Amino acid sequence: YQPASLIPAGLASLTVAPANALLIPGQTEQLVATGTFKDGSTETLQSVTWNSSNPPVASIRNSPGSAGFAAAQTAGAATLTATAGAVSGSASLNVVNQASTLLTSSTNPSAFDAGVTFTANLTPATSTGTVTFADGSTTLGTATISNGTASYSISTLAAGPHSITASYSGDTNDSSSTSAGLTQTVIPGGTTITLTSSANPLTVGSPVTLTANLTPATATGMVTFADGNTTLGTGTVSNGTATYSTSAL
C-alpha cells in the first residue's frame, strides 16, 4: 500500500534499469525506477515499492537509503518490480554460479607432428555447453562438455611455444569462464639425412659429388661432410639438399 500523497500525479508508465542483469551469488545491483509522465517528461522515482518474484534467488530492499538494492542469493531467475500506485515496471535478473575452467595437456612438451589432447575441467561439474580451445588469438576448435570435462586433440601445432586457453560459454545456471593460459611446447621433429655419391666406387683423384637429401625438405642451414673424423667441407641446404664436391679422396 502506498499513500496517495506518495504517488506522483500524472504518472503514465515505469521503466526499471538495468532491464536485464546477470549476477553471481553474493553480488548486488542497484536498480533505478524511472517514471514517464503524461506530459512526456521523465523523472527518477524514489516513491516506489520494490518486489521480487523469487526472493530465495534475489532479494530487493525497500528501506530508505537502500531501496531498489538487489542481492543475488542462489542460481535461478527473478523478476524485480517497481510499483507506484497502479503503475509498475519490471526487470529480469538471472543469477548464475561462478564457473571456473582448469586446462591440462596430455603431453607437455610434445613432439612435432605428434598428437596432444587438451582437457578443460569445469567447476561446477554440472556445467553444460561448449568449450572453445584457442592458440593465442587463433581458435583451434570447440568441444562439448560431458561430465564436467571437454577435450580437444590436435597434431598440427608448429614447433615452438603455444599459449593455449579454454573458454567456457556458460549456461543457464553457470557463468562463462576462461582458463589461465597453458604454455604448450612443441619440440621440433628430428631431421633425417640420406647421403648419395655421384660415383661409387671411385678412382683415386677423380672428382665426386656427395649429396645430402634432408627430410623434412623444409630444413634450412648447413650440412657438414666428413670422412670418418676428418671434416671435408660444408654445403648450404637448398630445397632440402646440400652438396659437396671433391677430388681429394
Side-chain angles (χ1 to χ4, degrees):
Y1 167 76
Q2 290 176 305
S5 60
L6 297 180
I7 302 173
L11 181 64
S13 63
L14 267 176
T15 58
V16 176
N20 295 283
L22 181 69
L23 298 179
I24 292 166
Q27 290 185 329
T28 59
E29 181 80 47
Q30 177 66 61
L31 275 66
V32 176
T34 300
T36 299
F37 294 84
K38 293 178 181 179
D39 62 2
S41 63
T42 61
E43 180 184 336
T44 298
L45 301 181
Q46 304 297 327
S47 56
V48 297
T49 299
W50 292 96
N51 178 264
S52 170
S53 68
N54 198 348
V57 169
S59 62
I60 191 163
R61 297 178 185 175
N62 278 293
S63 304
S66 61
F69 193 80
Q73 310 292 335
T74 189
T79 299
L80 305 176
T81 303
T83 302
V87 182
S88 64
S90 62
S92 297
L93 174 62
N94 288 318
V95 181
V96 296
N97 297 312
Q98 175 67 70
S100 63
T101 306
L102 176 65
L103 179 62
T104 60
S105 168
S106 61
T107 307
N108 196 8
S110 58
F112 179 74
D113 275 345
V116 61
T117 298
F118 299 112
T119 299
N121 297 280
L122 280 297
T123 301
T126 53
S127 301
T128 60
T130 60
V131 172
T132 299
F133 295 85
D135 179 5
S137 60
T138 301
T139 297
L140 299 177
T142 59
T144 300
I145 298 167
S146 177
N147 298 320
T149 65
S151 297
Y152 179 78
S153 298
I154 187 170
S155 60
T156 56
L157 292 176
H162 298 264
S163 180
I164 308 298
T165 56
S167 299
Y168 171 49
S169 59
D171 62 18
T172 302
N173 295 315
D174 305 292
S175 69
S176 59
S177 172
T178 299
S179 71
L182 182 153
T183 300
Q184 177 70 35
T185 301
V186 179
I187 300 172
T191 301
T192 59
I193 300 176
T194 302
L195 182 63
T196 60
S197 171
S198 61
N200 192 9
L202 176 68
T203 302
V204 174
S206 298
V208 62
T209 298
L210 304 174
T211 300
N213 297 283
L214 285 74
T215 302
T218 52
T220 59
M222 304 290 291
V223 172
T224 299
F225 296 83
D227 180 5
N229 294 324
T230 302
T231 298
L232 299 176
T234 60
T236 301
V237 177
S238 176
N239 297 321
T241 64
T243 60
Y244 176 76
S245 298
T246 182
S247 58
L249 294 179

